[in-house]
Amino acid sequence: MDGARGRAREYVVEADGGSRGNPGPAGYGAVVLDAATGETLVEAAEYLGVVTNNVAEYRGLLAGLRAARELDPDAGVHVRMDSKLVVEQMSGRWKIKHPDMKPLATEAARVFPPGRVTYEWIPRAQNKHADRLANEAMDAGARGEQWSPSDSTADLDTATDAVPTASDADVRAAQTVASPGWGPPDMGAPATFVLLRHGETPLTPQKRFSGSGGSDPSLSPVGREQAEKVAASLARRGTVEAIVASPLARTRETAGIVAARLGLEVAVDEGLRETDFGAWEGLTFGEVRERYPDDLDAWLASPEAEPTGGGESFAATGARIAATRDRLVAAHAGRTVLLVSHVTPIKTFLRLALGAPPESLFRMELSAASLSAVAYYADGGASVRLFNETSHLR
Protein backbone atom coordinates (compact mmCIF):
# COMPACT_ATOMS: atom_id res chain seq x y z
CA MET A 1 0.00 0.00 0.00
CA ASP A 2 1.10 3.60 -0.51
CA GLY A 3 0.88 6.46 1.96
CA ALA A 4 -2.87 6.79 1.50
CA ARG A 5 -4.13 4.05 3.84
CA GLY A 6 -6.16 1.27 2.22
CA ARG A 7 -5.52 2.37 -1.34
CA ALA A 8 -3.27 0.23 -3.59
CA ARG A 9 -0.79 1.91 -5.86
CA GLU A 10 -1.65 2.32 -9.51
CA TYR A 11 0.89 1.85 -12.30
CA VAL A 12 0.81 2.37 -16.04
CA VAL A 13 2.82 -0.11 -18.09
CA GLU A 14 3.73 0.87 -21.65
CA ALA A 15 5.29 -1.89 -23.73
CA ASP A 16 6.40 -2.52 -27.28
CA GLY A 17 8.38 -5.00 -29.33
CA GLY A 18 9.84 -5.06 -32.79
CA SER A 19 11.51 -7.37 -35.28
CA ARG A 20 13.68 -6.18 -38.13
CA GLY A 21 12.60 -8.73 -40.71
CA ASN A 22 9.64 -10.39 -38.95
CA PRO A 23 10.99 -12.82 -38.05
CA GLY A 24 14.35 -11.16 -37.63
CA PRO A 25 16.60 -9.55 -35.03
CA ALA A 26 14.15 -8.44 -32.37
CA GLY A 27 13.87 -6.66 -29.05
CA TYR A 28 11.35 -5.27 -26.61
CA GLY A 29 10.98 -2.20 -24.45
CA ALA A 30 8.80 -1.62 -21.41
CA VAL A 31 8.35 1.24 -18.96
CA VAL A 32 6.46 1.44 -15.66
CA LEU A 33 4.98 4.84 -14.78
CA ASP A 34 3.35 6.14 -11.64
CA ALA A 35 -0.28 6.55 -12.68
CA ALA A 36 -0.77 9.61 -10.47
CA THR A 37 2.31 11.61 -11.41
CA GLY A 38 3.48 10.14 -14.72
CA GLU A 39 6.95 9.63 -13.25
CA THR A 40 9.06 6.94 -14.89
CA LEU A 41 9.78 4.27 -12.27
CA VAL A 42 11.37 1.44 -14.27
CA GLU A 43 12.73 0.97 -17.77
CA ALA A 44 13.32 -2.51 -19.22
CA ALA A 45 14.59 -3.66 -22.60
CA GLU A 46 16.21 -6.75 -24.05
CA TYR A 47 17.58 -8.04 -27.33
CA LEU A 48 15.82 -11.34 -28.14
CA GLY A 49 17.64 -12.74 -31.13
CA VAL A 50 15.49 -13.77 -34.09
CA VAL A 51 11.75 -13.81 -33.31
CA THR A 52 8.56 -12.28 -34.76
CA ASN A 53 7.05 -8.86 -33.99
CA ASN A 54 4.19 -10.39 -32.03
CA VAL A 55 6.46 -12.52 -29.85
CA ALA A 56 8.60 -9.46 -29.12
CA GLU A 57 5.49 -7.49 -28.17
CA TYR A 58 4.37 -10.20 -25.75
CA ARG A 59 7.86 -10.34 -24.25
CA GLY A 60 7.69 -6.58 -23.70
CA LEU A 61 4.32 -6.94 -21.98
CA LEU A 62 5.70 -9.66 -19.70
CA ALA A 63 8.71 -7.55 -18.76
CA GLY A 64 6.54 -4.55 -17.93
CA LEU A 65 4.13 -6.55 -15.78
CA ARG A 66 6.97 -8.25 -13.91
CA ALA A 67 8.66 -4.91 -13.25
CA ALA A 68 5.40 -3.52 -11.87
CA ARG A 69 5.00 -6.56 -9.60
CA GLU A 70 8.53 -6.07 -8.27
CA LEU A 71 7.57 -2.55 -7.27
CA ASP A 72 4.32 -3.55 -5.60
CA PRO A 73 2.62 -6.97 -5.94
CA ASP A 74 -0.63 -5.45 -4.67
CA ALA A 75 -0.78 -2.70 -7.27
CA GLY A 76 -3.35 -2.18 -9.98
CA VAL A 77 -1.92 -1.94 -13.52
CA HIS A 78 -3.18 -0.28 -16.68
CA VAL A 79 -1.35 -1.54 -19.78
CA ARG A 80 -1.05 0.71 -22.82
CA MET A 81 0.26 -0.80 -26.08
CA ASP A 82 0.04 0.04 -29.79
CA SER A 83 -0.37 -3.67 -30.66
CA LYS A 84 -4.08 -4.18 -31.28
CA LEU A 85 -3.45 -7.92 -31.43
CA VAL A 86 -1.94 -8.17 -27.93
CA VAL A 87 -4.48 -5.82 -26.37
CA GLU A 88 -7.47 -7.65 -27.84
CA GLN A 89 -6.10 -11.08 -27.01
CA MET A 90 -5.18 -10.19 -23.43
CA SER A 91 -8.58 -8.53 -22.96
CA GLY A 92 -10.20 -11.83 -23.95
CA ARG A 93 -11.92 -10.51 -27.05
CA TRP A 94 -9.73 -12.37 -29.58
CA LYS A 95 -8.67 -16.01 -29.49
CA ILE A 96 -4.98 -16.90 -29.28
CA LYS A 97 -4.10 -19.65 -31.74
CA HIS A 98 -0.43 -19.10 -32.54
CA PRO A 99 1.70 -21.68 -30.66
CA ASP A 100 4.47 -19.15 -29.92
CA MET A 101 2.08 -16.66 -28.33
CA LYS A 102 -0.20 -18.93 -26.27
CA PRO A 103 2.34 -19.67 -23.49
CA LEU A 104 3.45 -16.02 -23.36
CA ALA A 105 -0.14 -14.82 -22.99
CA THR A 106 -0.80 -17.43 -20.30
CA GLU A 107 2.31 -16.35 -18.41
CA ALA A 108 1.36 -12.66 -18.68
CA ALA A 109 -2.11 -13.38 -17.31
CA ARG A 110 -0.57 -14.97 -14.19
CA VAL A 111 1.71 -12.08 -13.19
CA PHE A 112 -1.13 -10.33 -11.35
CA PRO A 113 -4.40 -11.80 -10.06
CA PRO A 114 -7.39 -11.61 -12.46
CA GLY A 115 -9.08 -8.23 -12.52
CA ARG A 116 -6.02 -6.24 -11.44
CA VAL A 117 -4.78 -5.49 -14.98
CA THR A 118 -6.62 -3.53 -17.67
CA TYR A 119 -5.60 -3.01 -21.29
CA GLU A 120 -5.83 -0.08 -23.67
CA TRP A 121 -4.78 0.25 -27.30
CA ILE A 122 -2.98 3.52 -28.11
CA PRO A 123 -1.57 4.91 -31.39
CA ARG A 124 2.12 4.31 -32.03
CA ALA A 125 2.84 8.02 -31.59
CA GLN A 126 1.74 7.72 -27.94
CA ASN A 127 4.01 4.75 -27.26
CA LYS A 128 7.33 6.41 -28.09
CA HIS A 129 9.08 5.63 -24.81
CA ALA A 130 8.68 1.85 -25.08
CA ASP A 131 9.34 1.96 -28.83
CA ARG A 132 12.65 3.77 -28.28
CA LEU A 133 13.66 1.23 -25.67
CA ALA A 134 12.91 -1.64 -28.05
CA ASN A 135 15.01 0.00 -30.75
CA GLU A 136 17.85 0.61 -28.29
CA ALA A 137 17.78 -3.10 -27.46
CA MET A 138 17.86 -4.08 -31.14
CA ASP A 139 20.69 -1.64 -31.83
CA ALA A 140 22.66 -3.12 -28.92
CA GLY A 141 22.03 -6.61 -30.28
CA ALA A 142 23.35 -5.57 -33.68
CA ARG A 143 26.59 -4.54 -31.93
CA GLY A 144 26.78 -7.91 -30.19
CA GLU A 145 25.85 -6.36 -26.84
CA GLN A 146 22.93 -6.44 -24.42
CA TRP A 147 20.98 -3.29 -23.60
CA SER A 148 22.08 -1.46 -20.49
CA PRO A 149 19.89 0.98 -18.51
CA SER A 150 22.90 3.25 -18.08
CA ASP A 151 23.06 3.81 -21.86
CA SER A 152 19.36 4.55 -22.33
CA THR A 153 18.21 7.90 -23.65
CA ALA A 154 14.61 6.78 -24.26
CA ASP A 155 13.13 8.65 -21.30
CA LEU A 156 15.05 11.82 -22.15
CA ASP A 157 14.17 11.62 -25.84
CA THR A 158 10.53 11.05 -25.05
CA ALA A 159 10.46 14.02 -22.71
CA THR A 160 11.91 16.33 -25.34
CA ASP A 161 9.84 14.82 -28.15
CA ALA A 162 6.61 14.39 -26.24
CA VAL A 163 3.31 13.66 -27.92
CA PRO A 164 2.17 17.06 -29.21
CA THR A 165 -0.96 18.73 -27.98
CA ALA A 166 -3.88 18.93 -30.36
CA SER A 167 -3.04 22.53 -31.23
CA ASP A 168 0.63 21.69 -31.84
CA ALA A 169 -0.32 18.79 -34.10
CA ASP A 170 -2.78 20.97 -36.03
CA VAL A 171 -0.15 23.64 -36.60
CA ARG A 172 2.45 21.14 -37.79
CA ALA A 173 -0.03 19.44 -40.11
CA ALA A 174 -1.14 22.78 -41.53
CA GLN A 175 2.45 23.83 -42.17
CA THR A 176 3.28 20.56 -43.91
CA VAL A 177 0.19 20.52 -46.11
CA ALA A 178 0.20 24.21 -46.90
CA SER A 179 3.87 24.60 -47.74
CA PRO A 180 3.72 23.31 -51.34
CA GLY A 181 1.03 25.82 -52.28
CA TRP A 182 1.82 28.71 -49.96
CA GLY A 183 5.47 28.33 -49.04
CA PRO A 184 8.42 30.34 -50.32
CA PRO A 185 9.07 30.18 -54.09
CA ASP A 186 12.72 29.13 -53.73
CA MET A 187 12.14 25.47 -52.90
CA GLY A 188 12.71 24.47 -56.51
CA ALA A 189 10.74 22.02 -58.61
CA PRO A 190 9.39 19.05 -56.66
CA ALA A 191 10.07 15.40 -57.34
CA THR A 192 6.74 14.27 -58.76
CA PHE A 193 5.76 10.61 -58.66
CA VAL A 194 3.08 9.59 -61.12
CA LEU A 195 1.76 6.36 -59.60
CA LEU A 196 0.40 3.85 -62.11
CA ARG A 197 -1.32 0.67 -61.00
CA HIS A 198 -0.63 -2.17 -63.44
CA GLY A 199 -3.31 -3.31 -65.91
CA GLU A 200 -5.69 -6.18 -65.23
CA THR A 201 -4.52 -9.76 -64.82
CA PRO A 202 -6.82 -12.80 -64.92
CA LEU A 203 -7.13 -12.47 -61.12
CA THR A 204 -8.15 -8.78 -61.06
CA PRO A 205 -11.85 -9.08 -62.09
CA GLN A 206 -12.27 -11.91 -59.57
CA LYS A 207 -10.94 -9.66 -56.78
CA ARG A 208 -8.46 -12.26 -55.58
CA PHE A 209 -5.49 -11.49 -53.32
CA SER A 210 -2.52 -11.17 -55.66
CA GLY A 211 0.65 -10.10 -53.92
CA SER A 212 4.35 -10.76 -54.21
CA GLY A 213 4.11 -14.28 -52.79
CA GLY A 214 1.67 -15.78 -55.28
CA SER A 215 1.65 -16.97 -58.89
CA ASP A 216 2.97 -13.68 -60.35
CA PRO A 217 0.39 -13.47 -63.17
CA SER A 218 0.98 -11.56 -66.39
CA LEU A 219 -1.46 -9.08 -67.90
CA SER A 220 -4.66 -10.35 -69.48
CA PRO A 221 -5.65 -9.10 -72.98
CA VAL A 222 -7.77 -6.45 -71.23
CA GLY A 223 -4.77 -5.46 -69.12
CA ARG A 224 -2.54 -5.03 -72.15
CA GLU A 225 -5.19 -2.85 -73.81
CA GLN A 226 -5.37 -0.74 -70.65
CA ALA A 227 -1.59 -0.33 -70.66
CA GLU A 228 -1.70 0.85 -74.28
CA LYS A 229 -4.35 3.42 -73.40
CA VAL A 230 -2.45 4.79 -70.42
CA ALA A 231 0.72 4.91 -72.56
CA ALA A 232 -1.07 7.04 -75.14
CA SER A 233 -2.39 9.36 -72.45
CA LEU A 234 1.04 9.83 -70.87
CA ALA A 235 2.59 10.44 -74.28
CA ARG A 236 0.12 13.28 -74.89
CA ARG A 237 1.04 14.85 -71.55
CA GLY A 238 4.75 14.56 -72.29
CA THR A 239 5.96 15.12 -68.71
CA VAL A 240 7.36 11.74 -67.65
CA GLU A 241 11.16 11.70 -67.56
CA ALA A 242 11.88 8.26 -66.09
CA ILE A 243 10.08 5.00 -65.37
CA VAL A 244 10.60 2.73 -62.34
CA ALA A 245 8.64 -0.51 -61.91
CA SER A 246 8.02 -3.22 -59.37
CA PRO A 247 9.83 -6.48 -60.22
CA LEU A 248 6.59 -8.47 -60.65
CA ALA A 249 5.53 -9.60 -64.13
CA ARG A 250 2.34 -7.51 -64.38
CA THR A 251 4.08 -4.27 -63.48
CA ARG A 252 7.11 -4.88 -65.70
CA GLU A 253 4.80 -5.67 -68.62
CA THR A 254 2.71 -2.55 -68.03
CA ALA A 255 5.85 -0.42 -67.69
CA GLY A 256 7.34 -1.92 -70.84
CA ILE A 257 4.30 -0.98 -72.92
CA VAL A 258 4.41 2.59 -71.60
CA ALA A 259 8.18 2.85 -72.00
CA ALA A 260 8.02 1.74 -75.63
CA ARG A 261 5.56 4.55 -76.36
CA LEU A 262 7.59 7.18 -74.47
CA GLY A 263 11.03 6.06 -75.66
CA LEU A 264 12.32 5.48 -72.12
CA GLU A 265 14.06 2.63 -70.30
CA VAL A 266 12.50 0.84 -67.33
CA ALA A 267 14.38 0.59 -64.03
CA VAL A 268 13.20 -2.05 -61.55
CA ASP A 269 12.99 -1.34 -57.82
CA GLU A 270 12.28 -4.14 -55.36
CA GLY A 271 10.74 -1.65 -52.94
CA LEU A 272 7.73 -1.16 -55.23
CA ARG A 273 6.55 -4.79 -55.08
CA GLU A 274 3.13 -5.68 -53.76
CA THR A 275 2.54 -6.90 -50.18
CA ASP A 276 3.03 -10.63 -49.64
CA PHE A 277 -0.40 -11.99 -48.66
CA GLY A 278 0.91 -15.35 -47.44
CA ALA A 279 -1.63 -18.18 -47.52
CA TRP A 280 -4.30 -15.80 -48.83
CA GLU A 281 -2.64 -15.49 -52.25
CA GLY A 282 -5.12 -16.39 -54.99
CA LEU A 283 -8.15 -16.40 -52.65
CA THR A 284 -11.11 -14.04 -52.62
CA PHE A 285 -11.96 -12.05 -49.50
CA GLY A 286 -14.91 -14.35 -48.90
CA GLU A 287 -12.72 -17.44 -49.12
CA VAL A 288 -10.27 -15.96 -46.64
CA ARG A 289 -13.15 -15.09 -44.30
CA GLU A 290 -14.36 -18.69 -44.47
CA ARG A 291 -10.95 -20.35 -44.00
CA TYR A 292 -9.07 -17.94 -41.72
CA PRO A 293 -11.66 -15.80 -39.88
CA ASP A 294 -9.55 -15.00 -36.80
CA ASP A 295 -6.47 -14.09 -38.83
CA LEU A 296 -8.56 -11.89 -41.10
CA ASP A 297 -10.15 -10.08 -38.14
CA ALA A 298 -6.71 -9.42 -36.67
CA TRP A 299 -5.43 -8.15 -40.03
CA LEU A 300 -8.36 -5.79 -40.43
CA ALA A 301 -7.89 -4.45 -36.90
CA SER A 302 -4.13 -3.90 -36.74
CA PRO A 303 -1.48 -2.82 -39.27
CA GLU A 304 0.97 -5.01 -37.34
CA ALA A 305 -0.97 -8.22 -38.06
CA GLU A 306 0.29 -10.47 -40.83
CA PRO A 307 -1.77 -12.53 -43.27
CA THR A 308 -1.93 -16.24 -42.52
CA GLY A 309 1.28 -18.12 -43.18
CA GLY A 310 3.78 -15.35 -42.56
CA GLY A 311 2.83 -12.74 -45.12
CA GLU A 312 3.74 -9.05 -44.83
CA SER A 313 1.90 -6.73 -42.46
CA PHE A 314 0.75 -3.29 -43.56
CA ALA A 315 3.19 -1.82 -41.04
CA ALA A 316 6.08 -3.63 -42.75
CA THR A 317 4.83 -2.51 -46.16
CA GLY A 318 4.60 1.06 -44.88
CA ALA A 319 8.19 1.02 -43.65
CA ARG A 320 9.37 -0.40 -46.97
CA ILE A 321 7.47 2.19 -49.02
CA ALA A 322 8.71 5.07 -46.85
CA ALA A 323 12.32 3.96 -47.41
CA THR A 324 11.69 3.53 -51.16
CA ARG A 325 10.06 6.96 -51.35
CA ASP A 326 13.00 8.66 -49.63
CA ARG A 327 15.51 6.92 -51.88
CA LEU A 328 13.64 7.76 -55.09
CA VAL A 329 12.94 11.37 -54.07
CA ALA A 330 16.67 11.87 -53.48
CA ALA A 331 17.52 10.27 -56.83
CA HIS A 332 14.94 12.21 -58.87
CA ALA A 333 14.80 15.68 -57.31
CA GLY A 334 12.99 18.09 -59.63
CA ARG A 335 11.90 15.36 -62.07
CA THR A 336 8.63 13.66 -62.94
CA VAL A 337 8.91 9.89 -62.58
CA LEU A 338 6.38 7.19 -63.42
CA LEU A 339 6.26 4.51 -60.72
CA VAL A 340 4.47 1.38 -61.92
CA SER A 341 3.32 -0.53 -58.87
CA HIS A 342 0.36 -2.18 -57.11
CA VAL A 343 -2.67 -1.42 -54.96
CA THR A 344 -1.09 -1.48 -51.51
CA PRO A 345 2.15 0.37 -52.32
CA ILE A 346 0.31 3.12 -54.22
CA LYS A 347 -2.26 3.54 -51.45
CA THR A 348 0.62 3.67 -48.98
CA PHE A 349 2.38 6.45 -50.91
CA LEU A 350 -0.86 8.42 -50.76
CA ARG A 351 -1.53 7.62 -47.10
CA LEU A 352 1.93 8.75 -46.06
CA ALA A 353 1.67 11.94 -48.11
CA LEU A 354 -1.64 12.80 -46.44
CA GLY A 355 -0.53 11.77 -42.95
CA ALA A 356 -3.55 9.46 -42.81
CA PRO A 357 -3.82 6.51 -40.40
CA PRO A 358 -3.21 2.92 -41.57
CA GLU A 359 -6.93 2.10 -41.64
CA SER A 360 -7.31 4.59 -44.51
CA LEU A 361 -5.92 1.86 -46.79
CA PHE A 362 -9.32 0.17 -46.57
CA ARG A 363 -11.10 3.39 -47.58
CA MET A 364 -9.49 3.99 -50.97
CA GLU A 365 -10.58 2.53 -54.29
CA LEU A 366 -7.72 2.07 -56.75
CA SER A 367 -8.66 0.81 -60.20
CA ALA A 368 -6.48 -1.19 -62.58
CA ALA A 369 -4.37 1.08 -64.82
CA SER A 370 -5.37 4.15 -62.78
CA LEU A 371 -3.09 7.15 -62.28
CA SER A 372 -2.38 9.02 -59.05
CA ALA A 373 0.33 11.61 -58.33
CA VAL A 374 2.24 13.06 -55.39
CA ALA A 375 4.73 15.95 -55.43
CA TYR A 376 7.58 16.01 -52.88
CA TYR A 377 9.22 19.32 -51.99
CA ALA A 378 12.64 20.19 -50.64
CA ASP A 379 11.23 21.17 -47.23
CA GLY A 380 9.78 17.69 -46.72
CA GLY A 381 6.23 18.66 -47.63
CA ALA A 382 4.11 16.49 -49.91
CA SER A 383 1.11 17.38 -52.05
CA VAL A 384 -1.33 14.83 -53.50
CA ARG A 385 -2.08 16.04 -57.02
CA LEU A 386 -4.17 13.21 -58.46
CA PHE A 387 -5.98 10.09 -57.24
CA ASN A 388 -7.41 7.08 -59.12
CA GLU A 389 -7.74 8.90 -62.44
CA THR A 390 -9.15 6.57 -65.13
CA SER A 391 -10.53 8.87 -67.85
CA HIS A 392 -7.89 7.53 -70.28
CA LEU A 393 -9.57 4.11 -70.17
CA ARG A 394 -12.95 5.31 -71.43
Side-chain angles (χ1 to χ4, degrees):
M1 300 293 192
D2 65 10
R5 294 267 182 192
R7 189 175 64 200
R9 294 194 67 177
E10 295 288 335
Y11 297 130
V12 172
V13 168
E14 296 177 348
D16 199 9
S19 173
R20 294 170 179 172
N22 201 26
Y28 69 72
V31 57
V32 181
L33 308 171
D34 186 297
T37 66
E39 178 189 0
T40 297
L41 303 175
V42 179
E43 288 182 332
E46 184 181 0
Y47 175 66
L48 299 173
V50 176
V51 299
T52 65
N53 276 328
N54 294 146
V55 167
E57 288 165 346
Y58 264 106
R59 291 288 299 275
L61 169 63
L62 261 172
L65 290 173
R66 287 169 175 164
R69 186 180 61 186
E70 287 291 322
L71 290 172
D72 186 347
D74 296 320
V77 178
H78 184 61
V79 175
R80 294 158 40 96
M81 297 182 69
D82 61 56
S83 172
K84 185 76 169 178
L85 182 73
V86 174
V87 168
E88 293 297 317
Q89 288 179 341
M90 291 303 299
S91 298
R93 291 185 288 269
W94 289 359
K95 294 180 180 178
I96 306 171
K97 292 187 174 182
H98 197 285
D100 291 340
M101 288 187 279
K102 274 188 175 181
L104 293 171
T106 300
E107 197 173 351
R110 291 173 176 167
V111 176
F112 282 93
R116 292 255 297 280
V117 182
T118 57
Y119 288 87
E120 176 190 1
W121 177 84
I122 57 174
R124 181 178 294 273
Q126 295 179 24
N127 202 28
K128 289 184 178 181
H129 194 161
D131 176 70
R132 289 179 190 272
L133 287 168
N135 278 286
E136 284 183 2
M138 286 184 277
D139 291 342
R143 298 190 301 268
E145 305 169 358
Q146 279 293 339
W147 177 83
S148 170
S150 62
D151 297 329
S152 175
T153 61
D155 192 18
L156 176 63
D157 289 346
T158 304
T160 58
D161 189 23
V163 177
T165 65
S167 58
D168 290 339
D170 290 344
V171 169
R172 292 180 189 176
Q175 290 172 338
T176 300
V177 173
S179 60
W182 302 97
D186 58 352
M187 287 190 294
T192 301
F193 292 169
V194 179
L195 305 166
L196 169 61
R197 184 189 170 192
H198 61 79
E200 283 191 11
T201 76
L203 300 181
T204 307
Q206 302 172 31
K207 296 188 180 298
R208 295 185 179 274
F209 282 92
S210 183
S212 59
S215 60
D216 195 15
S218 298
L219 296 180
S220 65
V222 170
R224 286 190 286 274
E225 181 181 355
Q226 290 172 331
E228 293 286 359
K229 288 181 177 179
V230 76
S233 175
L234 291 170
R236 286 193 297 271
R237 299 183 192 190
T239 55
V240 172
E241 301 170 78
I243 301 176
V244 185
S246 151
L248 300 182
R250 54 198 182 272
T251 41
R252 287 189 289 107
E253 189 175 358
T254 301
I257 292 171
V258 175
R261 185 67 177 265
L262 300 184
L264 297 171
E265 298 293 325
V266 177
V268 173
D269 193 303
E270 176 70 22
L272 296 175
R273 62 178 170 80
E274 180 58 289
T275 298
D276 182 347
F277 294 111
W280 303 350
E281 295 279 358
L283 303 179
T284 65
F285 187 90
E287 289 168 340
V288 173
R289 169 66 71 191
E290 182 179 346
R291 299 182 194 184
Y292 309 105
D294 293 339
D295 291 348
L296 182 62
D297 286 342
W299 183 73
L300 292 172
S302 171
E304 303 287 347
E306 299 172 353
T308 306
E312 187 179 23
S313 69
F314 281 149
T317 300
R320 167 164 58 84
I321 294 303
T324 302
R325 173 203 61 198
D326 293 346
R327 184 176 66 254
L328 291 176
V329 166
H332 297 284
R335 305 176 76 201
T336 297
V337 183
L338 181 70
L339 304 185
V340 188
S341 189
H342 310 263
V343 170
T344 312
I346 292 173
K347 287 183 178 181
T348 302
F349 273 108
L350 295 164
R351 178 183 77 79
L352 294 173
L354 293 170
E359 56 265 30
S360 64
L361 293 174
F362 297 115
R363 299 171 187 168
M364 301 184 217
E365 176 68 26
L366 200 70
S367 304
S370 64
L371 291 168
S372 303
V374 181
Y376 299 91
Y377 288 81
D379 66 346
S383 175
V384 174
R385 300 290 183 85
L386 189 70
F387 172 65
N388 199 38
E389 208 279 309
T390 57
S391 62
H392 50 276
L393 301 179
R394 296 172 193 151

